[in-house]
């Protein structure tokens, strides 16, 4: 009896063990927008059971013991899926099909710059590049001006070796052809072209949108080469407190502070403060001139969003910037300002801005956008005084309406510009009186975005402006977009017209710096350009779980009436005139984004361009324009939480402005590269420490970039009756003092250390 009970117990135990040892399987498929997802990882959390999706997106996990699990689906570029499942005797073979959703990345970012209305980048018929705050954190800088050095096809260009003012080149076109906006408003223009990109608190920047090619149909004058739209954070989305401080071993200190607070129950406000200070004269190249301009700058920004009925928009913002900068001979001090004993360039800048948007309380979508700014500059370039005042008022009423497959945006615009200075630009020689410039610029525009088919869009636009000086100006545009059904292939074709009315003294401070005098060859007419470009975007996922995104563009711009500074006809002059011929900017660019499940990310870009000027039947390469530009950013986060970022750029040779045939300085710049590395470590959710090295290769231009730096007032230069330099034994090359031979900063290698504090 006992033996039979023992045998019975053993049988029950074996049967129970057999039941427990039973297993099943999990199979299914993965897709996104109707296309299979290849090489995605499918696994059971905290177990060795898993599979990789095949070329059809199918997966199968076999011999899974009965039990409850968490199934995880992961793939680079897609949102992670976690789902609780149970494999049991009643359901041993599970079949699960998943639709993966792509992560919100650069292609799905909301953009406004291309069409004046919010639309996902994927759907925009106008190619718009988007760069978030995370992109700029990989190489922290004191200003957005310097941050753009790692954007493909965009180059911050210094225009003066002494005062270090500069502008932004897009596809080889000079800064005045680039319109810079803040929250869609034309704030940075005219006098502030060389200063307006400094002093914007970067902690308040949400993203930067870049459109390459004319955008005058929507934005009017100045948007000839492209536009840069700096989008600030909405108070509701900003951290409660953010502080970012870093310093370099050169003595630079930059501080960004952001604070969010409520104004009553119906308004949220965002305050930003930027302070930059550098007061450490350095002369590493031994020319007795400061390698880096000394600066003391403060910027205060405040943005207020009001809550209104039916979620109508009302936002207003303001910014004030004050800057004191100087560069020059090492022994210069404030007592030498404007004198002829010691050469220095000293600039006091005071600037205010206000801008906003108000949605009208109507059934139609009507938005009124407005801005105003004032800019006062008190400066000396050696003993040359330049005092200028500029005030700009801007208003724009837009109407947006969808009718069937037509999405229409129309608007009326008015812009008033007042400009006065102490140069010949605002002096009436006939009456011998000062004559400030006052320009009225009313206009109207309309664009129609037509959805031809689900995968095809056509955008047509037309703008009319009436310039109170130059008369009527018409700018058309056309854009076409096609995308594949899975939206992994996008083709955009664009063509358009741009125009610009130039004011030399507000845009080109080389016209003031040094010993050259300015000459105008006749009345300057508005510049016009025609542009076409083809853009193709491709994204795909490889068999080793790698995401690759490609963005390729071919561009062509044809200019007439272009205004170019002539440095070569007379080495003592800068001659401005409309080009009696044409200018062409053409090239190709490629951006590549790659990311892996491991956390490694690589971004790279290459632009090859040819920017030429043809006059009197002779075609030459434009001065200070590289033929090749490359950029890269490599980021990797280790398991211990340390993030490493390696960024850099590469520039091909540029033709440089020489002072004559005897000038023995190189006619072209060398190939050069600026490379940086940074380590970042987070401590909890609030603190972040970062540091690294900038300009790892310690590249600086040649020591003789400033011609005759030892004689800045040309006391020992002999001039003939025609104003030309006469070579002498102590000046055999016939040179004069000239700081315009500049293509890169004189600031060499330096270390930096920073701290961020954020309270959400």
């Amino acid at each position: 009896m006992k033996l039979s009970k023992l045998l019975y117990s053993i049988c029950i135990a074996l049967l129970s063990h057999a039941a427990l040892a039973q297993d099943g399987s999990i199979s299914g498929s993965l897709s996104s927008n109707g296309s299979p997802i290849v090489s995605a990882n499918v696994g059971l959390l905290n177990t060795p059971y898993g599979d990789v999706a095949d070329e059809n997106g199918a997966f199968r996990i076999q011999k899974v013991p009965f039990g409850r699990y968490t199934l995880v689906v992961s793939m680079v570029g897609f949102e992670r899926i976690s789902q609780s499942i149970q494999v049991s005797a009643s359901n041993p073979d599970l079949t699960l099909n998943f639709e993966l959703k792509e992560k919100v990345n650069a292609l799905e970012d909301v953009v406004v710059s291309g069409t004046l209305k919010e639309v996902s980048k994927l759907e925009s018929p106008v190619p718009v590049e988007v760069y978030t705050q995370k992109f700029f954190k990989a190489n922290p800088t004191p200003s957005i001006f310097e941050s753009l050095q790692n954007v493909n096809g965009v180059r911050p260009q210094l225009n003066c070796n002494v005062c270090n003012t500069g502008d932004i080149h897009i596809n080889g076109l000079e800064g005045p052809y680039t319109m810079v906006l803040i929250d869609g408003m034309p704030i940075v223009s005219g006098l502030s072209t060389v200063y307006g990109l400094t002093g914007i608190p970067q902690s308040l920047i949400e993203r930067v949108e870049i459109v390459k090619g004319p955008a005058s149909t929507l934005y009017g004058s100045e948007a000839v080469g492209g536009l840069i739209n700096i989008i600030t954070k909405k108070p509701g989305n900003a951290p409660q407190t953010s502080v970012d401080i870093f310093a370099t071993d050169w003595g630079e200190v930059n501080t960004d502070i952001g604070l969010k607070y409520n104004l009553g129950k119906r308004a949220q406000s965002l305050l930003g403060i930027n302070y930059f200070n550098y007061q450490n004269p350095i002369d590493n190249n031994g020319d007795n001139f400061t390698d880096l301009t000394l600066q003391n700058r403060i910027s205060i920004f405040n943005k207020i969003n009001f809550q209104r009925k039916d979620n109508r928009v009302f936002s207003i913002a303001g910014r004030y910037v004050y800057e004191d900068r100087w560069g020059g001979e090492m022994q210069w001090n404030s007592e030498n300002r404007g004198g002829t004993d010691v050469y220095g360039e000293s600039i006091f800048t005071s600037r205010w801005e206000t801008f906003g948007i108000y949605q009208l309380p109507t059934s139609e979508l009507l938005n009124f956008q407005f801005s105003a700014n004032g800019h006062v500059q008190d400066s000396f370039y050696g003993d040359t005084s330049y005092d200028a005042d500029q005030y700009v008022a801007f208003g724009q009423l837009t109407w947006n309406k969808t009718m069937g497959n037509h999405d229409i945006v129309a608007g009326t615009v008015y812009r008033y510009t007042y400009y006065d200075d102490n140069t010949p630009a605002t002096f009436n020689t006939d009456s011998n009186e000062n004559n400030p410039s006052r320009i009225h610029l009313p206009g109207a525009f309309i664009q129609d975005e037509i959805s031809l088919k689900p995968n095809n869009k056509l955008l047509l636009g037309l703008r009319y402006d009436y310039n109170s000086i130059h008369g009527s100006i018409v700018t058309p545009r056309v854009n076409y977009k096609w995308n594949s059904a899975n939206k992994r292939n996008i083709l955009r074709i664009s063509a358009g017209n741009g125009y610009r009315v130039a004011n030399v003294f507000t845009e080109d401070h080389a016209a003031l710096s040094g010993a050259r005098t300015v000459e105008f060859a006749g009345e300057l007419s508005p510049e016009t350009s025609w542009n076409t470009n083809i853009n193709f975007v491709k994204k795909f996922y490889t068999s080793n779980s790698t995401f690759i995104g490609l963005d390729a563009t071919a561009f062509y711009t044809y200019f007439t009436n272009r205004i170019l500074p002539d440095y070569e006809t007379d080495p003592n002059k800068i001659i401005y005139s409309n080009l009696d011929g044409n200018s062409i900017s053409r090239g190709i660019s490629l951006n590549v984004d790659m990311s892996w499940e491991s956390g490694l990310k690589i971004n790279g870009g290459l632009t090859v361009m040819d920017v030429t000027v043809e006059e009197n039947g002779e075609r030459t390469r434009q001065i200070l324009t590289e033929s090749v530009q490359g950029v890269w950013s490599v980021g990797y986060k280790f398991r211990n939480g340390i993030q490493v970022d390696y960024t850099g750029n590469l520039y091909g040779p540029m033709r440089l402005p020489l002072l004559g045939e005897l000038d023995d300085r190189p006619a072209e710049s060398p190939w050069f590269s600026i490379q940086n590395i940074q380590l970042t470590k987070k401590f909890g959710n609030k603190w972040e420490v970062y540091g690294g090295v900038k300009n790892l290769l310690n590249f600086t231009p040649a020591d003789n970039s400033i011609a005759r730096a030892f004689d800045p007032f040309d006391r020992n230069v002999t001039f003939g009756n025609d104003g030309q330099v006469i070579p002498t034994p102590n000046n055999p090359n016939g040179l004069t003092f000239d700081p315009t031979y500049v293509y890169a900063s004189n600031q060499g290698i330096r270390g930096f250390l920073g701290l961020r504090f954020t309270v959400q």
Side-chain angles (χ1 to χ4, degrees):
M1 185 70 176
K2 290 182 179 181
L3 179 60
S4 63
K5 286 184 177 182
L6 178 62
L7 291 173
Y8 177 77
S9 298
I10 292 173
C11 290
I12 293 297
L14 290 173
L15 288 171
S16 299
H17 182 267
L20 289 173
Q22 287 181 347
D23 51 39
S25 67
I26 306 169
S27 62
S29 64
L30 308 175
S31 63
S32 177
N33 294 319
S35 298
I37 300 299
V38 182
S39 301
N41 295 308
V42 185
L44 303 181
L45 191 64
N46 299 322
T47 76
Y49 302 104
D51 193 17
V52 177
D54 62 19
E55 65 273 10
N56 298 314
F59 67 91
R60 183 174 181 83
I61 307 174
Q62 302 186 57
K63 296 183 179 181
V64 179
F66 289 166
R68 184 171 292 278
Y69 303 95
T70 298
L71 180 74
V72 176
V73 180
S74 63
M75 178 66 181
V76 174
F78 292 88
E79 294 184 1
R80 182 185 177 98
I81 293 177
S82 295
Q83 180 174 315
S84 178
I85 62 168
Q86 184 170 3
V87 182
S88 62
S90 60
N91 192 12
D93 298 307
L94 297 181
T95 301
L96 301 171
N97 299 317
F98 295 98
E99 177 74 12
L100 274 66
K101 183 178 180 181
E102 294 192 56
K103 287 183 179 179
V104 176
N105 55 33
L107 283 179
E108 283 70 50
D109 283 333
V110 172
V111 296
V112 297
S113 300
T115 59
L116 267 187
K117 59 187 178 66
E118 287 194 346
V119 62
S120 76
K121 181 185 175 184
L122 187 70
E123 298 297 331
S124 173
V126 179
V128 182
E129 297 181 14
V130 180
Y131 299 91
T132 64
Q133 192 180 63
K134 185 177 181 180
F135 174 86
F136 297 116
K137 281 184 176 180
N139 180 29
T141 64
S143 70
I144 193 70
F145 172 80
E146 296 175 56
S147 296
L148 293 171
Q149 66 184 289
N150 289 112
V151 176
N152 188 24
V154 177
R155 182 171 67 87
Q157 165 65 34
L158 292 178
N159 294 326
C160 174
N161 262 315
V162 181
C163 63
N164 287 168
T165 56
D167 53 37
I168 299 294
H169 289 203
I170 293 182
N171 288 343
L173 299 178
E174 292 94 335
Y177 297 94
T178 301
M179 173 171 272
V180 180
L181 308 103
I182 302 179
D183 289 342
M185 289 290 94
I187 294 297
V188 183
S189 60
L191 261 179
S192 66
T193 299
V194 291
Y195 301 110
L197 283 170
T198 58
I200 300 174
Q202 295 200 64
S203 61
L204 303 187
I205 296 176
E206 180 178 293
R207 67 184 187 273
V208 176
E209 301 177 3
I210 299 177
V211 177
K212 298 173 181 176
S216 292
T217 301
L218 287 183
Y219 294 97
S221 179
E222 298 167 19
V224 179
L227 67 88
I228 298 172
N229 193 0
I230 300 169
I231 307 295
T232 60
K233 293 179 180 178
K234 297 178 180 179
N237 299 335
Q240 194 70 39
T241 304
S242 63
V243 179
D244 189 343
I245 303 173
F246 76 87
T248 73
D249 59 12
W250 272 52
E252 302 162 283
V253 178
N254 186 76
T255 303
D256 266 338
I257 300 174
L259 299 171
K260 180 173 69 174
Y261 60 95
N262 293 326
L263 291 173
K265 296 181 179 180
R266 292 188 171 274
Q268 277 191 318
S269 183
L270 184 60
L271 173 67
I273 300 173
N274 170 259
Y275 179 67
F276 177 75
N277 185 277
Y278 171 67
Q279 302 295 322
N280 182 32
I282 293 176
D283 176 27
N284 287 336
N285 62 9
D287 61 2
N288 195 42
F289 272 75
T290 52
D291 290 344
L292 181 67
T293 303
L294 283 76
Q295 301 173 55
N296 189 19
R297 180 181 66 243
I298 187 167
S299 173
I300 302 174
F301 176 92
N302 200 75
K303 183 176 184 179
I304 304 173
N305 279 7
F306 296 91
Q307 296 179 5
R308 298 176 60 211
K309 184 179 179 181
D310 298 326
N311 292 321
R312 291 190 176 96
V313 177
F314 181 27
S315 174
I316 188 169
R319 182 171 74 123
Y320 175 76
V321 182
Y322 176 80
E323 182 184 76
D324 173 6
R325 70 162 60 198
W326 76 266
E329 294 185 274
M330 292 290 288
Q331 66 272 29
W332 188 93
N333 59 55
S334 58
E335 295 178 355
N336 302 120
R337 191 173 194 262
T340 58
D341 294 329
V342 181
Y343 186 90
E345 298 186 2
S346 171
I347 303 130
F348 298 143
T349 301
S350 180
R351 177 176 177 83
W352 60 267
E353 306 161 349
T354 183
F355 53 94
I357 180 173
Y358 178 80
Q359 183 180 343
L360 274 62
T362 62
S363 57
E364 297 291 331
L365 182 53
L366 292 168
N367 288 322
F368 177 67
Q369 295 172 282
F370 56 91
S371 69
N373 61 74
H375 190 108
V376 178
Q377 185 167 315
D378 171 12
S379 51
F380 275 95
Y381 297 82
D383 58 347
T384 301
S385 170
Y386 176 65
D387 296 329
D389 300 316
Q390 179 176 273
Y391 300 96
V392 180
F394 176 87
Q396 176 173 275
L397 180 65
T398 61
W399 171 67
N400 188 197
K401 182 77 171 181
T402 301
M403 294 180 287
N405 65 336
H406 296 265
D407 191 348
I408 298 173
V409 176
T412 58
V413 185
Y414 175 76
R415 180 171 177 173
Y416 171 77
T417 303
Y418 171 92
Y419 174 75
D420 188 22
D421 66 19
N422 62 336
T423 75
T426 58
F427 187 79
N428 190 324
T429 55
D430 295 332
S431 61
N432 201 33
E433 293 179 351
N434 189 47
N435 184 29
S437 170
R438 295 178 174 86
I439 299 176
H440 301 270
L441 190 63
F445 64 88
I446 185 170
Q447 72 170 21
D448 184 7
E449 185 177 312
I450 308 168
S451 297
L452 302 175
K453 292 180 179 180
N455 300 338
N456 293 267
K457 286 186 177 181
L458 178 67
L459 181 108
L460 303 174
L462 184 68
R463 181 184 181 106
Y464 170 80
D465 288 296
Y466 183 81
N467 187 289
S468 58
I469 296 177
H470 298 285
S472 299
I473 302 172
V474 178
T475 48
R477 77 187 291 193
V478 58
N479 300 81
Y480 171 77
K481 182 185 82 76
W482 168 88
N483 59 263
S484 59
N486 60 8
K487 298 184 179 181
R488 295 188 188 176
N489 302 280
I490 303 171
L491 175 68
R492 296 181 175 96
I493 302 174
S494 306
N497 175 241
Y499 81 96
R500 188 178 74 95
V501 178
N503 188 325
V504 169
F505 286 97
T506 68
E507 297 165 353
D508 189 355
H509 280 227
L512 298 161
S513 184
R516 295 185 186 231
T517 58
V518 175
E519 181 178 297
F520 294 92
E523 185 74 20
L524 299 182
S525 300
E527 299 176 310
T528 59
S529 71
W530 288 95
N531 170 272
T532 181
N533 66 66
I534 301 175
N535 171 253
F536 181 70
V537 175
K538 170 74 175 179
K539 56 177 182 173
F540 53 91
Y541 304 88
T542 67
S543 58
N544 61 349
S545 192
T546 302
F547 167 76
I548 300 177
L550 303 177
D551 189 329
T553 301
F555 57 89
Y556 181 93
T557 304
Y558 182 90
F559 282 92
T560 57
N561 276 345
R562 190 171 181 189
I563 300 169
L564 291 173
D566 179 0
Y567 293 88
E568 298 172 308
T569 299
D570 188 330
N572 299 303
K573 295 179 179 179
I574 305 177
I575 303 173
Y576 291 90
S577 64
N578 285 111
L579 183 66
D580 184 15
N582 62 73
S583 175
I584 295 174
S585 171
R586 55 190 170 186
I588 56 174
S589 68
L590 175 66
N591 291 317
V592 181
D593 297 331
M594 303 178 67
S595 56
W596 288 262
E597 277 283 334
S598 63
L600 175 64
K601 293 184 178 181
I602 299 176
N603 301 320
L606 179 69
T607 297
V608 180
M609 56 190 164
D610 179 29
V611 183
T612 59
V613 177
E614 181 176 340
E615 192 166 24
N616 300 322
E618 182 179 352
R619 183 167 293 278
T620 57
R621 192 154 55 96
Q622 180 178 286
I623 287 178
L624 293 174
T625 303
E626 69 279 15
S627 56
V628 178
Q629 178 195 0
V631 297
W632 65 85
S633 175
V634 181
Y636 183 76
K637 190 171 185 178
F638 294 92
R639 292 184 178 180
N640 59 7
I642 294 178
Q643 169 85 24
V644 59
D645 291 291
Y646 169 52
T647 59
N649 49 50
L650 174 69
Y651 298 112
M654 310 175 201
R655 194 164 71 90
L656 302 175
L658 299 178
L659 292 175
E661 295 181 358
L662 297 178
D663 193 335
D664 60 350
R665 294 176 297 176
E668 286 191 341
S669 64
W671 285 84
F672 70 95
S673 176
I674 306 297
Q675 302 179 22
N676 322 284
I677 193 164
Q678 174 185 256
L679 297 178
T680 305
K681 172 66 175 177
K682 285 189 175 182
F683 297 91
N685 296 323
K686 296 180 180 180
W687 296 94
E688 188 173 288
V689 176
Y690 61 94
V693 179
K694 291 181 179 292
N695 197 354
L696 282 165
L697 303 181
N698 196 27
F699 174 81
T700 55
D703 295 347
N704 62 345
S705 293
I706 299 179
R708 291 185 64 85
F710 56 87
D711 186 18
F713 294 100
D714 289 337
R715 292 190 176 97
N716 297 311
V717 177
T718 302
F719 296 92
N721 294 329
D722 59 356
Q724 298 292 317
V725 179
I726 299 175
T728 60
N730 67 349
N731 186 17
N733 301 110
L735 304 181
T736 59
F737 172 71
D738 181 40
T740 61
Y741 182 95
V742 55
Y743 56 90
S745 171
N746 287 312
Q747 191 175 22
I749 189 170
R750 59 206 180 276
F752 67 96
L753 183 65
L755 176 69
R756 296 188 183 104
F757 173 74
T758 305
V759 177
Q760 296 294 337

